[in-house]
Structure formats: structure tokens, C-alpha cells
Amino acid sequence: MKQGCPLSPTLFNVLINDLIDLLNQEANGIDFETCQINALVYADDLVLIVDKPDTLDKLLLMLNQWCVESRMRINPDKTKIIHFGQPKKQKCKKLEIVGHLYSKFTHTCNTLVLPIIGYSSFLWGYKAYSDITKIQNNLMRSFLGVSSNVPIAALLGDMGWLPITTITKISCIGFWIRLSNMADSRLNKQVY
């Protein structure tokens, strides 16, 4: 059968249905309302769900046996095991390292980069400059290691940063407050 054939998903569902029946007969999964779930299937993707490592071993052996009998192969590059539960100390250490890198990166940006690109930003007014916005966006993408398709709002949320346009507006408001509080004899106030 050719790649992309409209009949392909239906035939695959018929083929994989034997695996689902086998898994449901032999192994327990997790309790969900009135039933137990040990597998989720969508198209050619399969998720095995268990609450004990022994049960996962049993399901993996059954999956391997079914693959041999059905002449199917599992792509190891696309196969992952995700463990939900108490984190191990090693994982916590990695999180501490990432947190340390994040705080160093943010500190560097806040002390070296933002002051330079925001210098006299209160004089620009409320106009947004795309080149300056690109600098901030590229910094976030570089640190997070994401592509240009990731929305800016997601980057800002992950980094906990304000958009440079918001920082500029805050600077403008601060400058306006300083001007408003100046003595009338000051040249800045007279120009304003």
C-alpha cells in the first residue's frame, strides 16, 4: 500500500485492534471511573499506561511479541518512557542547574543588554521599533532553544519577561512623572 493512501488508516486500525484486545486481556492499567486503561491509540501512535514498573515490563513484552507476529517494527528514535511520580535527586539537581543558568542569563540581560537597547527609550515615545523587539525575541529563543515558530507570548511567559515595548512605555511614564514633579524653573520642564 502506498504512503498516504486513504485506506491506510482504516487497515492499520484493523491490524492494531488485535494488540489492544491482547493488552486488555492480559495486563492491568490505571483505574479510570468504571474501567481500566492500559493503552491509548491514535493513528499509528501508541501510549502504554501503567502504575507499576512490573506491569510496564509485561506490556512491553506483549507488544514485542505482537510486533514479531505482525511483522511490525517499533521506531526506537520515537519511543519514550515518561515516569510520573516523586522526582529523583538527580533530576532536582538538573533543575537547580537550569534555574541557576536562567537567573544568570536574566541578570546579564537586565544589566548589560536591556540598559543599552533601552537607553533614552523615554525619548522614543510609545512607538515600537521592530529591530529592538527582535533583539529581545532572539535572546529568548536562543536561551530556550526554540524555533522561530514559537509564539512571542509563550517565550515571554516562559522567561517571565515584559515585552520591550512595555518596558519603553514604563520608562516614558516614569520620565513624565519626573518632568511633572520638576520645578518650573528647570529647562527640561520648560521644554516639556
Side-chain angles (χ1 to χ4, degrees):
M1 186 166 301
K2 291 183 181 180
Q3 176 83 21
C5 176
L7 190 56
S8 179
T10 305
L11 290 177
F12 186 78
N13 285 341
V14 170
L15 176 71
I16 203 163
N17 198 44
D18 292 342
L19 172 63
I20 302 306
D21 289 341
L22 178 69
L23 293 175
N24 286 337
Q25 290 172 4
E26 299 293 328
N28 296 328
I30 60 167
D31 291 323
F32 181 76
E33 294 185 7
T34 59
C35 63
Q36 286 197 332
I37 299 174
N38 60 15
L40 299 173
V41 180
Y42 181 78
D44 63 345
D45 294 325
L46 172 69
V47 177
L48 300 176
I49 303 171
V50 297
D51 58 355
K52 298 176 191 150
D54 296 342
T55 309
L56 179 61
D57 290 341
K58 186 176 181 181
L59 287 178
L60 288 173
L61 287 172
M62 293 167 63
L63 174 62
N64 184 54
Q65 179 186 351
W66 179 84
C67 286
V68 169
E69 291 171 2
S70 302
R71 291 186 225 151
M72 299 283 288
R73 283 181 286 135
I74 296 172
N75 185 346
D77 294 333
K78 294 183 177 181
T79 304
K80 306 286 183 247
I81 295 176
I82 301 175
H83 176 264
F84 296 98
Q86 296 297 324
K88 295 180 182 176
K89 289 185 179 184
Q90 184 179 13
K91 290 182 182 179
C92 291
K93 186 68 174 170
K94 287 181 183 177
L95 289 175
E96 288 173 16
I97 292 169
V98 170
H100 179 70
L101 289 174
Y102 167 77
S103 51
K104 286 286 187 189
F105 181 78
T106 302
H107 177 72
T108 303
C109 289
N110 288 339
T111 56
L112 298 177
V113 179
L114 289 179
I116 292 170
I117 63 175
Y119 181 73
S120 299
S121 61
F122 51 85
L123 298 176
W124 309 340
Y126 288 101
K127 184 176 179 186
Y129 291 92
S130 62
D131 289 339
I132 293 174
T133 303
K134 283 180 190 175
I135 292 170
Q136 185 184 38
N137 296 346
N138 289 339
L139 282 170
M140 293 185 296
R141 288 185 201 289
S142 173
F143 179 77
L144 295 172
V146 296
S147 71
S148 59
N149 298 333
V150 177
I152 301 301
L155 295 175
L156 290 166
D158 283 350
M159 294 298 291
W161 289 1
L162 292 172
I164 195 71
T165 53
T166 303
I167 294 169
T168 302
K169 289 175 184 175
I170 291 169
S171 178
C172 288
I173 292 168
F175 182 66
W176 178 78
I177 290 170
R178 281 193 306 277
L179 279 177
S180 299
N181 292 330
M182 279 185 188
D184 291 336
S185 60
R186 300 272 313 263
L187 182 61
N188 293 0
K189 177 82 173 241
Q190 292 172 8
V191 171
Y192 168 69

Coordinates of all heavy atoms in Angstrom, one line a residue, residues 65-146:
Q65 N 6.1 -9.2 21.4 CA 5.6 -10.4 20.8 C 4.6 -10.1 19.7 O 4.7 -10.7 18.6 CB 4.9 -11.3 21.9 CG 4.3 -12.6 21.3 CD 3.6 -13.3 22.4 OE1 3.6 -13.0 23.6 NE2 2.9 -14.4 22.0
W66 N 3.7 -9.2 19.9 CA 2.7 -8.8 18.8 C 3.4 -8.3 17.6 O 3.0 -8.6 16.5 CB 1.7 -7.8 19.4 CG 0.7 -7.4 18.4 CD1 -0.5 -8.0 18.1 CD2 0.8 -6.3 17.5 NE1 -1.1 -7.4 17.1 CE2 -0.4 -6.3 16.7 CE3 1.7 -5.2 17.4 CZ2 -0.6 -5.3 15.8 CZ3 1.4 -4.3 16.4 CH2 0.3 -4.3 15.6
C67 N 4.4 -7.5 17.8 CA 5.2 -6.9 16.7 C 5.9 -8.0 15.8 O 5.9 -7.9 14.6 CB 6.2 -5.9 17.2 SG 5.5 -4.3 17.7
V68 N 6.4 -8.9 16.5 CA 7.1 -10.0 15.8 C 6.1 -10.8 15.0 O 6.3 -11.1 13.8 CB 7.8 -11.0 16.8 CG1 8.3 -12.2 16.1 CG2 9.0 -10.2 17.4
E69 N 5.0 -11.1 15.6 CA 3.9 -11.9 14.9 C 3.3 -11.1 13.8 O 2.9 -11.7 12.8 CB 2.8 -12.3 15.9 CG 3.3 -13.4 16.9 CD 2.3 -13.6 18.0 OE1 1.2 -13.0 18.0 OE2 2.6 -14.4 18.9
S70 N 3.2 -9.8 13.9 CA 2.5 -9.0 12.9 C 3.5 -8.4 11.9 O 3.1 -7.6 11.0 CB 1.8 -7.8 13.6 OG 0.8 -8.3 14.5
R71 N 4.8 -8.7 12.1 CA 5.8 -8.2 11.2 C 5.9 -6.6 11.3 O 6.0 -6.0 10.2 CB 5.7 -8.7 9.8 CG 6.0 -10.1 9.7 CD 6.0 -10.6 8.3 NE 5.2 -11.8 8.2 CZ 4.5 -12.2 7.2 NH1 4.6 -11.5 6.1 NH2 3.9 -13.3 7.2
M72 N 5.7 -6.1 12.5 CA 5.8 -4.7 12.7 C 7.1 -4.3 13.4 O 7.6 -5.2 14.1 CB 4.6 -4.2 13.5 CG 3.3 -4.4 12.9 SD 2.9 -3.3 11.6 CE 2.6 -1.8 12.5
R73 N 7.6 -3.1 13.2 CA 8.7 -2.7 13.9 C 8.4 -1.4 14.7 O 7.7 -0.5 14.2 CB 9.9 -2.4 12.9 CG 10.6 -3.6 12.4 CD 11.7 -3.3 11.5 NE 11.1 -2.8 10.2 CZ 11.5 -1.8 9.5 NH1 12.5 -1.0 10.0 NH2 10.9 -1.4 8.4
I74 N 9.0 -1.3 15.9 CA 8.9 -0.1 16.7 C 10.1 0.8 16.4 O 11.3 0.3 16.4 CB 8.9 -0.4 18.2 CG1 7.6 -1.2 18.5 CG2 8.9 0.8 19.0 CD1 7.6 -1.8 19.9
N75 N 9.9 2.1 16.2 CA 11.0 3.0 15.9 C 11.6 3.5 17.2 O 10.9 4.2 18.0 CB 10.5 4.2 15.1 CG 11.6 5.2 14.7 OD1 12.7 5.1 15.2 ND2 11.3 6.1 13.8
P76 N 12.8 3.0 17.6 CA 13.3 3.4 18.9 C 13.6 4.9 19.0 O 13.6 5.4 20.1 CB 14.6 2.6 19.0 CG 14.9 2.1 17.6 CD 13.6 2.1 16.8
D77 N 13.8 5.6 17.9 CA 14.1 7.0 18.0 C 12.8 7.8 18.4 O 12.9 8.9 18.9 CB 14.6 7.5 16.6 CG 16.0 7.0 16.3 OD1 16.7 6.6 17.2 OD2 16.3 6.9 15.1
K78 N 11.7 7.2 18.2 CA 10.4 7.9 18.5 C 9.8 7.3 19.8 O 8.6 7.6 20.1 CB 9.5 7.8 17.4 CG 9.9 8.6 16.1 CD 8.9 8.5 15.0 CE 9.2 9.3 13.9 NZ 8.2 9.3 12.8
T79 N 10.5 6.4 20.5 CA 10.0 5.8 21.6 C 10.5 6.4 22.9 O 11.7 6.6 23.0 CB 10.3 4.3 21.6 OG1 9.9 3.7 20.4 CG2 9.7 3.5 22.8
K80 N 9.6 6.7 23.8 CA 10.0 7.4 25.1 C 9.3 6.8 26.2 O 8.2 6.2 26.1 CB 9.6 8.9 25.0 CG 10.1 9.7 23.9 CD 11.6 9.9 24.0 CE 12.1 10.8 22.8 NZ 13.0 10.1 21.9
I81 N 9.9 6.8 27.4 CA 9.2 6.4 28.6 C 9.2 7.6 29.5 O 10.2 8.3 29.8 CB 10.0 5.3 29.3 CG1 10.0 4.0 28.5 CG2 9.4 5.0 30.7 CD1 10.8 2.9 29.1
I82 N 8.0 8.0 30.0 CA 7.8 9.1 30.9 C 7.3 8.6 32.2 O 6.3 7.9 32.3 CB 6.8 10.1 30.3 CG1 7.3 10.6 28.9 CG2 6.6 11.3 31.3 CD1 6.3 11.5 28.2
H83 N 8.0 8.9 33.3 CA 7.7 8.5 34.6 C 7.1 9.7 35.4 O 7.7 10.7 35.5 CB 9.0 8.0 35.3 CG 8.7 7.6 36.7 ND1 9.0 8.4 37.8 CD2 8.2 6.4 37.3 CE1 8.6 7.8 38.9 NE2 8.2 6.6 38.6
F84 N 5.9 9.5 35.9 CA 5.3 10.5 36.7 C 5.3 10.0 38.1 O 4.9 8.9 38.4 CB 3.8 10.7 36.3 CG 3.7 11.3 34.9 CD1 3.4 10.5 33.9 CD2 3.8 12.6 34.7 CE1 3.2 11.0 32.6 CE2 3.7 13.2 33.4 CZ 3.4 12.3 32.4
G85 N 5.8 10.8 39.0 CA 5.9 10.4 40.4 C 6.9 11.3 41.1 O 7.2 12.4 40.7
Q86 N 7.4 10.8 42.2 CA 8.4 11.6 43.0 C 9.7 11.7 42.2 O 10.2 10.8 41.7 CB 8.7 10.8 44.3 CG 7.5 10.7 45.2 CD 7.0 12.0 45.7 OE1 7.8 13.0 45.9 NE2 5.7 12.2 45.8
P87 N 10.1 13.0 42.0 CA 11.4 13.2 41.3 C 12.6 12.7 42.1 O 12.6 12.7 43.3 CB 11.5 14.7 41.1 CG 10.6 15.2 42.2 CD 9.6 14.2 42.5
K88 N 13.6 12.2 41.3 CA 14.8 11.7 41.9 C 15.7 12.9 42.2 O 15.6 13.9 41.6 CB 15.5 10.7 41.0 CG 14.7 9.4 40.7 CD 15.4 8.5 39.8 CE 14.6 7.3 39.6 NZ 15.2 6.4 38.6
K89 N 16.6 12.7 43.1 CA 17.5 13.8 43.5 C 18.3 14.3 42.3 O 18.6 15.5 42.1 CB 18.5 13.4 44.6 CG 17.7 13.2 45.9 CD 18.7 12.9 47.0 CE 17.9 12.8 48.3 NZ 18.7 12.6 49.5
Q90 N 18.7 13.4 41.4 CA 19.5 13.8 40.2 C 18.7 14.8 39.4 O 19.2 15.8 38.9 CB 19.9 12.6 39.4 CG 20.8 12.9 38.2 CD 21.2 11.7 37.5 OE1 20.6 10.6 37.6 NE2 22.1 11.8 36.6
K91 N 17.4 14.5 39.2 CA 16.6 15.4 38.4 C 16.5 16.8 39.1 O 16.5 17.8 38.4 CB 15.2 14.8 38.2 CG 15.2 13.6 37.2 CD 13.8 13.1 37.0 CE 13.8 11.9 36.1 NZ 12.5 11.3 35.9
C92 N 16.3 16.8 40.4 CA 16.3 18.0 41.1 C 17.6 18.8 40.9 O 17.5 20.0 40.8 CB 16.0 17.8 42.6 SG 14.4 17.2 42.9
K93 N 18.7 18.1 40.9 CA 20.0 18.8 40.7 C 20.0 19.5 39.3 O 20.5 20.6 39.2 CB 21.1 17.8 40.8 CG 22.5 18.4 40.8 CD 22.7 19.3 42.0 CE 24.2 19.7 42.0 NZ 24.4 20.8 43.0
K94 N 19.5 18.8 38.3 CA 19.5 19.4 37.0 C 18.6 20.6 36.9 O 18.9 21.6 36.3 CB 18.9 18.3 36.0 CG 19.9 17.2 35.6 CD 19.4 16.3 34.6 CE 20.3 15.1 34.4 NZ 19.8 14.1 33.5
L95 N 17.4 20.5 37.6 CA 16.6 21.7 37.7 C 17.3 22.9 38.4 O 17.1 24.0 38.0 CB 15.3 21.4 38.4 CG 14.3 20.5 37.6 CD1 13.1 20.1 38.5 CD2 13.9 21.1 36.3
E96 N 18.0 22.6 39.4 CA 18.8 23.6 40.1 C 19.8 24.3 39.2 O 19.9 25.5 39.2 CB 19.5 23.1 41.3 CG 18.6 22.7 42.5 CD 19.3 22.0 43.6 OE1 20.6 22.0 43.6 OE2 18.7 21.4 44.4
I97 N 20.4 23.5 38.4 CA 21.4 24.0 37.4 C 20.7 24.9 36.4 O 21.2 26.0 36.1 CB 22.2 22.8 36.7 CG1 23.1 22.2 37.8 CG2 23.0 23.3 35.6 CD1 23.7 20.9 37.3
V98 N 19.6 24.4 35.8 CA 18.9 25.2 34.8 C 18.4 26.5 35.5 O 18.5 27.5 34.9 CB 17.7 24.4 34.3 CG1 16.8 25.2 33.4 CG2 18.2 23.2 33.4
G99 N 17.9 26.4 36.7 CA 17.4 27.6 37.4 C 18.6 28.6 37.6 O 18.4 29.8 37.5
H100 N 19.8 28.1 37.9 CA 20.9 28.9 38.1 C 21.3 29.6 36.8 O 21.6 30.8 36.7 CB 22.1 28.1 38.6 CG 23.4 28.9 38.8 ND1 23.5 29.8 39.8 CD2 24.5 28.9 38.1 CE1 24.7 30.4 39.7 NE2 25.4 29.8 38.7
L101 N 21.3 28.8 35.7 CA 21.6 29.4 34.4 C 20.6 30.4 34.0 O 21.0 31.5 33.4 CB 21.6 28.3 33.3 CG 22.8 27.3 33.4 CD1 22.6 26.2 32.3 CD2 24.1 28.0 33.1
Y102 N 19.3 30.2 34.3 CA 18.3 31.1 34.0 C 18.5 32.5 34.7 O 18.4 33.5 34.1 CB 16.9 30.6 34.3 CG 15.8 31.6 34.3 CD1 15.3 32.1 33.0 CD2 15.3 32.2 35.4 CE1 14.3 33.1 33.0 CE2 14.3 33.2 35.4 CZ 13.8 33.6 34.2 OH 12.9 34.6 34.1
S103 N 18.8 32.4 36.0 CA 19.0 33.6 36.8 C 20.2 34.4 36.3 O 20.2 35.6 36.3 CB 19.0 33.3 38.3 OG 19.9 32.3 38.6
K104 N 21.3 33.6 35.9 CA 22.5 34.3 35.4 C 22.2 35.0 34.1 O 22.6 36.1 33.8 CB 23.6 33.3 35.2 CG 24.3 32.8 36.5 CD 25.1 33.9 37.1 CE 25.9 33.4 38.3 NZ 26.6 34.5 39.0
F105 N 21.5 34.3 33.2 CA 21.1 34.8 31.9 C 20.3 36.0 32.0 O 20.5 37.1 31.4 CB 20.4 33.7 31.1 CG 20.0 34.2 29.7 CD1 21.0 34.2 28.7 CD2 18.7 34.5 29.4 CE1 20.7 34.7 27.4 CE2 18.4 34.9 28.1 CZ 19.3 35.0 27.1
T106 N 19.2 35.9 32.9 CA 18.3 37.1 33.1 C 19.1 38.3 33.7 O 18.9 39.4 33.3 CB 17.2 36.7 34.0 OG1 16.5 35.6 33.4 CG2 16.2 37.8 34.2
H107 N 19.9 38.0 34.7 CA 20.7 39.1 35.3 C 21.6 39.8 34.2 O 21.7 41.0 34.2 CB 21.6 38.5 36.4 CG 22.5 39.5 37.1 ND1 22.0 40.5 37.9 CD2 23.8 39.7 37.0 CE1 23.0 41.3 38.3 NE2 24.1 40.8 37.8
T108 N 22.3 39.0 33.4 CA 23.1 39.5 32.3 C 22.3 40.4 31.4 O 22.7 41.5 31.0 CB 23.8 38.4 31.6 OG1 24.6 37.6 32.5 CG2 24.7 38.9 30.5
C109 N 21.1 39.9 31.0 CA 20.3 40.7 30.1 C 19.8 41.9 30.7 O 19.8 43.0 30.1 CB 19.1 39.8 29.6 SG 19.6 38.5 28.5
N110 N 19.4 41.9 32.0 CA 18.9 43.0 32.7 C 19.9 44.1 33.0 O 19.6 45.3 33.1 CB 18.2 42.6 34.0 CG 16.8 41.9 33.7 OD1 16.3 42.1 32.6 ND2 16.4 41.2 34.6
T111 N 21.2 43.6 33.1 CA 22.2 44.6 33.5 C 23.1 45.1 32.3 O 23.6 46.2 32.4 CB 23.2 44.0 34.6 OG1 23.7 42.8 34.1 CG2 22.5 43.8 35.9
L112 N 23.2 44.3 31.3 CA 24.0 44.6 30.1 C 23.3 44.9 28.9 O 23.6 45.9 28.1 CB 25.1 43.5 29.9 CG 26.0 43.2 31.0 CD1 26.9 42.0 30.6 CD2 26.9 44.4 31.3
V113 N 22.3 44.1 28.5 CA 21.6 44.2 27.2 C 20.5 45.3 27.3 O 20.4 46.2 26.5 CB 21.1 42.9 26.8 CG1 20.4 43.0 25.4 CG2 22.2 41.9 26.6
L114 N 19.5 45.1 28.2 CA 18.4 46.0 28.2 C 18.7 47.4 28.5 O 18.1 48.3 27.9 CB 17.3 45.5 29.3 CG 16.6 44.2 28.9 CD1 15.6 43.8 30.0 CD2 15.9 44.4 27.5
P115 N 19.7 47.8 29.4 CA 20.0 49.2 29.5 C 20.6 49.8 28.2 O 20.3 51.0 28.0 CB 21.1 49.2 30.6 CG 20.9 47.9 31.4 CD 20.3 46.9 30.4
I116 N 21.3 49.0 27.4 CA 21.8 49.6 26.2 C 20.7 49.8 25.2 O 20.6 50.8 24.5 CB 22.9 48.6 25.6 CG1 24.1 48.7 26.6 CG2 23.3 49.0 24.2 CD1 25.2 47.6 26.3
I117 N 19.9 48.7 25.0 CA 18.8 48.9 24.0 C 17.7 49.8 24.4 O 17.0 50.4 23.6 CB 18.3 47.6 23.5 CG1 17.6 46.8 24.6 CG2 19.3 46.7 22.8 CD1 16.9 45.5 24.1
G118 N 17.6 50.0 25.8 CA 16.6 50.9 26.3 C 17.1 52.3 26.6 O 16.3 53.1 27.2
Y119 N 18.3 52.6 26.3 CA 18.9 53.9 26.7 C 18.1 55.0 26.0 O 17.9 55.0 24.8 CB 20.4 54.0 26.2 CG 21.1 55.3 26.5 CD1 21.4 55.5 27.8 CD2 21.3 56.2 25.5 CE1 22.0 56.7 28.2 CE2 21.9 57.4 25.8 CZ 22.3 57.7 27.2 OH 22.9 58.9 27.5
S120 N 17.7 55.9 26.8 CA 16.8 57.1 26.3 C 15.5 56.6 25.7 O 15.0 57.3 24.8 CB 17.6 58.0 25.4 OG 18.8 58.5 26.1
S121 N 15.1 55.5 26.0 CA 13.8 55.0 25.4 C 12.6 55.9 25.7 O 11.7 55.9 24.9 CB 13.5 53.5 25.9 OG 13.3 53.5 27.3
F122 N 12.7 56.6 26.8 CA 11.6 57.6 27.1 C 11.5 58.7 26.0 O 10.4 59.3 25.9 CB 11.8 58.2 28.5 CG 13.1 58.8 28.7 CD1 13.4 60.1 28.4 CD2 14.1 58.0 29.4 CE1 14.6 60.7 28.6 CE2 15.3 58.6 29.6 CZ 15.6 59.9 29.2
L123 N 12.6 58.9 25.3 CA 12.5 59.9 24.2 C 11.9 59.3 22.9 O 11.4 60.1 22.1 CB 13.9 60.4 23.9 CG 14.6 61.2 25.1 CD1 16.0 61.6 24.7 CD2 13.8 62.4 25.5
W124 N 11.9 58.0 22.8 CA 11.3 57.4 21.6 C 9.8 57.6 21.6 O 9.1 57.6 20.6 CB 11.5 55.9 21.5 CG 12.9 55.5 21.6 CD1 14.1 56.2 21.5 CD2 13.3 54.1 22.0 NE1 15.2 55.4 21.7 CE2 14.7 54.1 22.0 CE3 12.6 53.0 22.2 CZ2 15.5 53.0 22.3 CZ3 13.4 51.8 22.5 CH2 14.7 51.8 22.5
G125 N 9.2 57.7 22.8 CA 7.8 57.7 22.9 C 7.2 56.3 22.9 O 7.9 55.3 23.2
Y126 N 6.0 56.2 22.5 CA 5.3 54.9 22.5 C 5.5 54.1 21.2 O 4.9 53.0 21.1 CB 3.8 55.1 22.8 CG 3.5 55.5 24.2 CD1 3.3 56.9 24.5 CD2 3.5 54.6 25.2 CE1 3.0 57.3 25.8 CE2 3.3 55.0 26.5 CZ 3.0 56.3 26.8 OH 2.8 56.7 28.1
K127 N 6.3 54.6 20.3 CA 6.5 53.9 19.1 C 7.3 52.6 19.3 O 8.3 52.6 20.0 CB 7.2 54.8 18.1 CG 7.3 54.2 16.7 CD 7.9 55.1 15.7 CE 8.1 54.4 14.4 NZ 8.8 55.3 13.4
A128 N 6.8 51.5 18.7 CA 7.6 50.2 18.8 C 8.5 50.2 17.6 O 8.2 50.5 16.5 CB 6.6 49.1 18.7
Y129 N 9.8 49.7 17.9 CA 10.8 49.6 16.9 C 11.1 48.1 16.7 O 11.5 47.4 17.7 CB 12.1 50.3 17.3 CG 11.9 51.8 17.2 CD1 11.5 52.5 18.3 CD2 12.1 52.5 16.0 CE1 11.3 53.9 18.2 CE2 11.9 53.9 15.9 CZ 11.5 54.6 17.0 OH 11.3 55.9 17.0
S130 N 10.8 47.6 15.5 CA 10.9 46.1 15.3 C 12.3 45.6 15.5 O 12.5 44.5 16.0 CB 10.4 45.8 13.9 OG 11.2 46.4 12.9
D131 N 13.4 46.4 15.2 CA 14.7 45.9 15.4 C 15.0 45.6 16.9 O 15.7 44.7 17.2 CB 15.8 46.9 14.8 CG 15.7 46.9 13.3 OD1 15.3 45.9 12.7 OD2 16.2 47.9 12.7
I132 N 14.5 46.5 17.7 CA 14.8 46.3 19.2 C 14.0 45.2 19.7 O 14.5 44.4 20.5 CB 14.5 47.7 19.9 CG1 15.5 48.7 19.5 CG2 14.5 47.5 21.4 CD1 15.3 50.1 20.0
T133 N 12.8 45.0 19.2 CA 11.9 43.9 19.6 C 12.6 42.6 19.2 O 12.6 41.6 19.9 CB 10.5 44.0 19.0 OG1 10.0 45.2 19.4 CG2 9.6 42.9 19.5
K134 N 13.2 42.6 18.0 CA 13.9 41.4 17.5 C 15.0 41.0 18.4 O 15.3 39.8 18.6 CB 14.4 41.6 16.1 CG 13.3 41.5 15.0 CD 13.9 41.8 13.7 CE 12.9 41.9 12.6 NZ 13.4 42.3 11.3
I135 N 15.7 41.9 19.0 CA 16.9 41.6 19.9 C 16.4 40.8 21.1 O 16.9 39.8 21.4 CB 17.6 42.9 20.3 CG1 18.3 43.5 19.1 CG2 18.6 42.6 21.4 CD1 18.9 44.9 19.4
Q136 N 15.3 41.3 21.7 CA 14.7 40.6 22.8 C 14.2 39.2 22.4 O 14.5 38.2 23.1 CB 13.6 41.4 23.5 CG 13.1 40.8 24.7 CD 11.9 41.5 25.3 OE1 11.1 42.0 24.6 NE2 11.9 41.6 26.7
N137 N 13.5 39.1 21.3 CA 13.0 37.9 20.9 C 14.1 36.9 20.6 O 14.0 35.7 21.0 CB 12.1 38.0 19.6 CG 10.9 38.9 19.9 OD1 10.5 39.1 21.1 ND2 10.2 39.4 18.9
N138 N 15.2 37.3 19.9 CA 16.3 36.4 19.6 C 17.0 36.0 20.9 O 17.4 34.8 21.0 CB 17.3 37.1 18.7 CG 16.7 37.2 17.3 OD1 15.8 36.5 16.9 ND2 17.2 38.1 16.5
L139 N 17.1 36.8 21.9 CA 17.7 36.4 23.2 C 16.9 35.3 23.8 O 17.4 34.3 24.3 CB 17.7 37.6 24.1 CG 18.8 38.6 23.9 CD1 18.6 39.9 24.8 CD2 20.2 38.0 24.3
M140 N 15.6 35.5 23.8 CA 14.7 34.4 24.4 C 14.8 33.1 23.7 O 14.9 32.1 24.3 CB 13.3 34.9 24.5 CG 13.1 36.1 25.5 SD 11.3 36.6 25.7 CE 10.9 37.2 24.0
R141 N 14.7 33.2 22.3 CA 14.7 32.0 21.5 C 16.1 31.3 21.7 O 16.1 30.1 21.8 CB 14.6 32.3 20.0 CG 13.2 32.7 19.7 CD 13.0 33.0 18.2 NE 11.9 33.8 17.9 CZ 10.6 33.4 18.0 NH1 10.3 32.2 18.4 NH2 9.6 34.2 17.6
S142 N 17.2 32.0 21.8 CA 18.5 31.5 21.9 C 18.6 30.7 23.3 O 19.1 29.6 23.4 CB 19.5 32.6 21.9 OG 20.8 32.1 22.2
F143 N 18.1 31.4 24.4 CA 18.2 30.7 25.7 C 17.4 29.5 25.8 O 17.8 28.5 26.3 CB 17.9 31.7 26.8 CG 17.9 31.1 28.1 CD1 19.2 30.9 28.7 CD2 16.8 30.7 28.8 CE1 19.3 30.3 30.0 CE2 16.9 30.1 30.0 CZ 18.1 29.9 30.7
L144 N 16.1 29.6 25.3 CA 15.2 28.5 25.4 C 15.4 27.4 24.3 O 14.9 26.3 24.5 CB 13.7 29.0 25.3 CG 13.3 29.9 26.4 CD1 11.9 30.5 26.1 CD2 13.3 29.2 27.8
G145 N 16.2 27.7 23.3 CA 16.5 26.7 22.3 C 15.3 26.4 21.4 O 15.1 25.2 21.1
V146 N 14.4 27.3 21.1 CA 13.2 27.1 20.3 C 13.3 27.7 18.9 O 14.1 28.6 18.7 CB 12.0 27.6 21.1 CG1 11.8 26.8 22.4 CG2 12.0 29.1 21.3

